[in-house]
Amino acid sequence: MKLIITEKPSMAKKYREALRDIPDLRVTNSFGHIEALADINHYLADKLGDNNTWRGSIPHLPFVPAKFVHVIREEEAFAEIAKHLSQADEVVLACDPDREGELIHRNIIEIAADRGLLKARTITRVWLHSETAAEIKKAFSDRKPHTAYEGYYQAARTREAVDWTVGLQLTRLYSVKYGRPGHLISVGRVQSWLLSEIVKRWREHTGHTPETFWTYAFKTKDGVSFNLVDEEKKIRRFFVADAAEQKKLAGVAAGPLTITVVDRKPFTEHAPALYDLKQLQKDAANKYKFSPDETLKIAQALYETHELISYPRTDCNVLSAEEAKELPNAVSLIERFPAYRDLVAKVHAANPALMLAPKYIGELQGHYAIIPVLNYTRSGLPALSEEEGKLFDLIVTRLLAALLPPAKGETTEMQGVIGEFPFLARCRNYTDLGFKSALGKALVPDEESAEEEAPLQVAYDTGSVVTGKLSEKKEETKPPALYTDAAILSLMEKAHLLIKDKALREALKDAAGIGTAATRAGFIPTLIQRGYIEKKKQTYIPTPLGLELEPILPEELKVPDYSARLEHH
């Protein structure tokens, strides 16, 4: 008998349906991590004796076991898997196609072997990206010995061991040395770095001294506004120290402006990328003030309870060609909701075949993008809460926008000079609004999408001499913004930008930052629960306890380099 073990019940269901014609095959599942590394007291029990306390363990730290031992923390789930293992000739590991998935099932198999429950001599691995029936059959047919994915396992195992060694032992040490009875001081690779960044930003924000500066713009008689810019074409700021330059500018303030360069380029603007969890969390935070953790919980309900969306814990924002072929099923589901029928009609009119542009199709590294499900099987539609409806709406409109034609137009960049000072105007005119005509501001834009620029009122030619008026605007520098939910997610995703060492910076960049889309949501609630930070007016600030803890944290844990080294090695 062949036994397939999936990572979650929903995948077990898909395997059963896709492989129902294969004889002597059973499918069971875990529920993510049903196992964990044993506590340090497991290893030190003989040495500690009756003094089996955190304080009693301190003299034995640091401690690294000769062999790390895993224990089951959800015995009922493990028992369901174990009852099939004893009858299996081949065990097929069908966990998620990533390091964490590999670790989960290797740990389960290791525990089963230690308990004498593993009888199969053959252990294979299915590496599945697409969840269609055809792809499940192909992946099952192409399964390989599980040792072919040893690299994924060793990488995840190393990370697990390091986090246990550092986090668990430092938490004990700091709790005993600095904590009060019954109150632990939690220390960890990610949470300590994140606390340090929040404290650093708070100090920069509160310690900021405003500095006055001036910017200048030249508005032509035709109403076109040119900004005075620097060598990088950014709006130039004049500070008090630039008084001599401002005096020169005052001497030529009457103009005129001479046009030196006119650059016109056509553009095609596609709708934003499909959602991965990270972008869904950012948009939900910006539009609805949902925390990343709240968004994940709502998305899980849409996925597990209502079966309306695809697997939400994904880092991927594309579909495979196979999923793209099945999009009519997703659109049919959307059309069953009265609120979307008019929009779906526009999609059908503009794109009868429901073909997805190549931008949204690519190679999958794990689960595909978050979209309405491709195989909704319930007879009726669920009643959604207000929060669930809002999140579902983001996902629906993002997919429908991708099925509409792109917007098209022309950008015009005009450069000019007044004396020796450079000026710049950028204009953006749409000739075809495409998806924008149907969705407009209802669609949350990509953070990397082009900025909306002023429409062009009039175009000038190179060499034109234009009259107008120079205006001055006085402002003050603003402090760095305190971290919001969306900003925290961006910080973790782009933590490599904080690293000086090139090799480490590239390693963390290739790993897409610190944490995963699914795990990043949990660190902020942990810091709040520990009493290190609090949320005020949608921003995060340190508490007195957080401010007291941050200076005594190990310097190595205050920088992302530590996490980068795990990726580099």
Side-chain angles (χ1 to χ4, degrees), residues 90-94 102 106 122-128 138-150 152:
E90 177 185 347
V91 175
V92 183
L93 304 181
E102 192 68 24
R106 294 288 195 101
T122 302
I123 302 176
T124 55
R125 174 71 155 105
V126 170
W127 199 259
L128 179 70
K138 184 177 184 300
F140 179 75
S141 177
D142 294 342
R143 65 192 185 279
K144 298 178 181 179
H146 73 296
T147 52
Y149 303 93
E150 191 69 16
Y152 287 90

Short mmCIF file of all heavy atoms in Angstrom, two decimals, residues 90-94 102 106 122-128 138-150 152:
data_model
loop_
_atom_site.label_atom_id
_atom_site.label_comp_id
_atom_site.label_asym_id
_atom_site.label_seq_id
_atom_site.Cartn_x
_atom_site.Cartn_y
_atom_site.Cartn_z
N GLU A 90 5.21 2.01 0.76
CA GLU A 90 5.86 3.23 0.29
C GLU A 90 5.17 4.43 0.93
O GLU A 90 3.95 4.52 0.92
CB GLU A 90 5.78 3.35 -1.23
CG GLU A 90 6.39 4.64 -1.77
CD GLU A 90 6.20 4.83 -3.27
OE1 GLU A 90 5.81 3.85 -3.95
OE2 GLU A 90 6.42 5.96 -3.76
N VAL A 91 5.97 5.32 1.47
CA VAL A 91 5.45 6.56 2.02
C VAL A 91 5.80 7.68 1.06
O VAL A 91 6.97 7.87 0.70
CB VAL A 91 6.04 6.86 3.42
CG1 VAL A 91 5.55 8.22 3.91
CG2 VAL A 91 5.64 5.77 4.41
N VAL A 92 4.76 8.42 0.64
CA VAL A 92 4.95 9.52 -0.31
C VAL A 92 4.75 10.84 0.44
O VAL A 92 3.65 11.14 0.89
CB VAL A 92 3.94 9.43 -1.48
CG1 VAL A 92 4.22 10.54 -2.50
CG2 VAL A 92 4.03 8.06 -2.15
N LEU A 93 5.82 11.61 0.56
CA LEU A 93 5.76 12.90 1.24
C LEU A 93 5.24 13.94 0.25
O LEU A 93 5.85 14.17 -0.78
CB LEU A 93 7.13 13.30 1.78
CG LEU A 93 7.80 12.29 2.72
CD1 LEU A 93 9.14 12.83 3.19
CD2 LEU A 93 6.90 11.97 3.90
N ALA A 94 4.12 14.55 0.58
CA ALA A 94 3.49 15.52 -0.33
C ALA A 94 3.26 16.85 0.40
O ALA A 94 2.24 17.51 0.21
CB ALA A 94 2.18 14.97 -0.87
N GLU A 102 9.31 20.63 3.76
CA GLU A 102 10.23 19.49 3.80
C GLU A 102 10.56 19.12 5.25
O GLU A 102 10.60 17.94 5.61
CB GLU A 102 11.50 19.84 3.03
CG GLU A 102 12.40 18.66 2.75
CD GLU A 102 11.81 17.67 1.76
OE1 GLU A 102 10.94 18.08 0.96
OE2 GLU A 102 12.20 16.50 1.79
N ARG A 106 9.75 15.45 7.21
CA ARG A 106 10.95 14.70 7.62
C ARG A 106 10.94 14.49 9.14
O ARG A 106 11.31 13.41 9.62
CB ARG A 106 12.21 15.45 7.21
CG ARG A 106 12.45 15.57 5.71
CD ARG A 106 12.85 14.24 5.09
NE ARG A 106 13.40 14.46 3.77
CZ ARG A 106 14.70 14.47 3.47
NH1 ARG A 106 15.60 14.23 4.41
NH2 ARG A 106 15.11 14.69 2.24
N THR A 122 10.64 2.31 1.28
CA THR A 122 10.68 3.31 0.21
C THR A 122 9.97 4.58 0.67
O THR A 122 8.80 4.53 1.05
CB THR A 122 10.01 2.78 -1.07
OG1 THR A 122 10.65 1.57 -1.48
CG2 THR A 122 10.10 3.81 -2.19
N ILE A 123 10.71 5.68 0.63
CA ILE A 123 10.12 6.99 0.95
C ILE A 123 10.38 7.90 -0.24
O ILE A 123 11.53 8.12 -0.63
CB ILE A 123 10.74 7.61 2.22
CG1 ILE A 123 10.55 6.66 3.41
CG2 ILE A 123 10.10 8.96 2.52
CD1 ILE A 123 11.21 7.15 4.68
N THR A 124 9.32 8.41 -0.82
CA THR A 124 9.44 9.26 -2.01
C THR A 124 8.86 10.65 -1.72
O THR A 124 8.25 10.88 -0.68
CB THR A 124 8.72 8.64 -3.22
OG1 THR A 124 7.34 8.37 -2.85
CG2 THR A 124 9.39 7.35 -3.64
N ARG A 125 9.06 11.53 -2.66
CA ARG A 125 8.65 12.93 -2.48
C ARG A 125 7.96 13.45 -3.72
O ARG A 125 8.46 13.28 -4.84
CB ARG A 125 9.89 13.77 -2.18
CG ARG A 125 9.65 15.28 -2.10
CD ARG A 125 8.88 15.65 -0.85
NE ARG A 125 9.10 17.01 -0.40
CZ ARG A 125 8.25 18.01 -0.54
NH1 ARG A 125 7.09 17.82 -1.17
NH2 ARG A 125 8.52 19.21 -0.05
N VAL A 126 6.79 14.03 -3.55
CA VAL A 126 6.08 14.72 -4.63
C VAL A 126 6.40 16.20 -4.51
O VAL A 126 6.26 16.79 -3.43
CB VAL A 126 4.56 14.50 -4.54
CG1 VAL A 126 3.84 15.40 -5.52
CG2 VAL A 126 4.22 13.05 -4.80
N TRP A 127 6.82 16.81 -5.60
CA TRP A 127 7.14 18.25 -5.60
C TRP A 127 6.12 18.93 -6.50
O TRP A 127 6.24 18.96 -7.71
CB TRP A 127 8.55 18.47 -6.13
CG TRP A 127 9.14 19.80 -5.76
CD1 TRP A 127 9.23 20.89 -6.55
CD2 TRP A 127 9.71 20.18 -4.50
NE1 TRP A 127 9.82 21.93 -5.88
CE2 TRP A 127 10.13 21.52 -4.61
CE3 TRP A 127 9.90 19.51 -3.28
CZ2 TRP A 127 10.74 22.20 -3.55
CZ3 TRP A 127 10.50 20.20 -2.24
CH2 TRP A 127 10.92 21.52 -2.39
N LEU A 128 5.07 19.46 -5.87
CA LEU A 128 3.91 19.95 -6.61
C LEU A 128 3.77 21.45 -6.48
O LEU A 128 3.75 21.99 -5.37
CB LEU A 128 2.64 19.28 -6.07
CG LEU A 128 1.31 19.68 -6.69
CD1 LEU A 128 1.20 19.16 -8.12
CD2 LEU A 128 0.15 19.17 -5.84
N LYS A 138 0.60 14.11 -12.65
CA LYS A 138 1.94 14.16 -13.23
C LYS A 138 3.01 14.18 -12.14
O LYS A 138 4.01 13.46 -12.21
CB LYS A 138 2.09 15.39 -14.12
CG LYS A 138 3.42 15.50 -14.84
CD LYS A 138 3.45 16.72 -15.76
CE LYS A 138 4.74 16.77 -16.56
NZ LYS A 138 5.95 16.83 -15.70
N ALA A 139 2.79 15.00 -11.11
CA ALA A 139 3.77 15.10 -10.02
C ALA A 139 3.89 13.77 -9.27
O ALA A 139 4.99 13.35 -8.90
CB ALA A 139 3.38 16.21 -9.06
N PHE A 140 2.76 13.08 -9.10
CA PHE A 140 2.79 11.77 -8.43
C PHE A 140 3.57 10.76 -9.27
O PHE A 140 4.38 9.99 -8.76
CB PHE A 140 1.37 11.28 -8.18
CG PHE A 140 1.30 9.93 -7.52
CD1 PHE A 140 1.58 9.81 -6.17
CD2 PHE A 140 0.97 8.80 -8.24
CE1 PHE A 140 1.53 8.55 -5.54
CE2 PHE A 140 0.92 7.55 -7.64
CZ PHE A 140 1.20 7.43 -6.29
N SER A 141 3.34 10.80 -10.57
CA SER A 141 4.04 9.89 -11.47
C SER A 141 5.54 10.17 -11.51
O SER A 141 6.35 9.26 -11.65
CB SER A 141 3.46 10.00 -12.89
OG SER A 141 4.14 9.19 -13.79
N ASP A 142 5.89 11.44 -11.35
CA ASP A 142 7.31 11.85 -11.43
C ASP A 142 7.99 11.90 -10.07
O ASP A 142 9.09 12.45 -9.95
CB ASP A 142 7.41 13.24 -12.09
CG ASP A 142 6.98 13.22 -13.54
OD1 ASP A 142 6.94 12.14 -14.14
OD2 ASP A 142 6.69 14.32 -14.07
N ARG A 143 7.37 11.38 -9.03
CA ARG A 143 7.95 11.47 -7.69
C ARG A 143 9.35 10.86 -7.64
O ARG A 143 9.67 9.93 -8.37
CB ARG A 143 7.03 10.81 -6.65
CG ARG A 143 6.87 9.30 -6.81
CD ARG A 143 5.73 8.81 -5.92
NE ARG A 143 5.57 7.36 -5.94
CZ ARG A 143 4.93 6.69 -6.87
NH1 ARG A 143 4.36 7.33 -7.90
NH2 ARG A 143 4.81 5.37 -6.79
N LYS A 144 10.15 11.43 -6.74
CA LYS A 144 11.55 11.02 -6.63
C LYS A 144 11.84 10.52 -5.22
O LYS A 144 11.06 10.77 -4.29
CB LYS A 144 12.47 12.22 -6.93
CG LYS A 144 12.32 12.78 -8.33
CD LYS A 144 13.24 13.99 -8.50
CE LYS A 144 13.10 14.60 -9.88
NZ LYS A 144 13.97 15.80 -10.04
N PRO A 145 12.97 9.85 -5.02
CA PRO A 145 13.37 9.51 -3.64
C PRO A 145 13.46 10.78 -2.80
O PRO A 145 13.91 11.82 -3.28
CB PRO A 145 14.75 8.87 -3.83
CG PRO A 145 14.75 8.36 -5.24
CD PRO A 145 13.92 9.32 -6.02
N HIS A 146 13.04 10.70 -1.57
CA HIS A 146 12.98 11.91 -0.75
C HIS A 146 14.37 12.52 -0.54
O HIS A 146 14.49 13.73 -0.30
CB HIS A 146 12.33 11.61 0.60
CG HIS A 146 13.16 10.81 1.54
ND1 HIS A 146 13.55 9.52 1.28
CD2 HIS A 146 13.69 11.13 2.76
CE1 HIS A 146 14.28 9.07 2.29
NE2 HIS A 146 14.39 10.02 3.19
N THR A 147 15.41 11.73 -0.68
CA THR A 147 16.77 12.24 -0.50
C THR A 147 17.16 13.22 -1.61
O THR A 147 18.14 13.94 -1.46
CB THR A 147 17.76 11.08 -0.46
OG1 THR A 147 17.56 10.25 -1.61
CG2 THR A 147 17.59 10.25 0.80
N ALA A 148 16.40 13.26 -2.70
CA ALA A 148 16.71 14.20 -3.79
C ALA A 148 16.51 15.64 -3.32
O ALA A 148 17.02 16.57 -3.96
CB ALA A 148 15.82 13.91 -5.00
N TYR A 149 15.80 15.82 -2.22
CA TYR A 149 15.52 17.17 -1.72
C TYR A 149 16.22 17.42 -0.38
O TYR A 149 15.76 18.19 0.45
CB TYR A 149 14.00 17.36 -1.57
CG TYR A 149 13.27 17.13 -2.88
CD1 TYR A 149 12.76 15.88 -3.21
CD2 TYR A 149 13.14 18.16 -3.80
CE1 TYR A 149 12.12 15.66 -4.42
CE2 TYR A 149 12.50 17.96 -5.01
CZ TYR A 149 11.99 16.71 -5.32
OH TYR A 149 11.37 16.49 -6.52
N GLU A 150 17.35 16.75 -0.21
CA GLU A 150 18.09 16.84 1.05
C GLU A 150 18.51 18.27 1.37
O GLU A 150 18.55 18.68 2.54
CB GLU A 150 19.33 15.94 0.99
CG GLU A 150 20.02 15.74 2.32
CD GLU A 150 19.21 14.90 3.31
OE1 GLU A 150 18.24 14.23 2.88
OE2 GLU A 150 19.55 14.95 4.51
N TYR A 152 16.96 21.11 0.82
CA TYR A 152 15.85 21.84 1.45
C TYR A 152 15.73 21.45 2.93
O TYR A 152 15.52 22.30 3.79
CB TYR A 152 14.54 21.53 0.73
CG TYR A 152 14.41 22.17 -0.63
CD1 TYR A 152 14.85 21.51 -1.77
CD2 TYR A 152 13.84 23.42 -0.77
CE1 TYR A 152 14.74 22.09 -3.02
CE2 TYR A 152 13.72 24.01 -2.01
CZ TYR A 152 14.17 23.34 -3.13
OH TYR A 152 14.06 23.92 -4.38
#
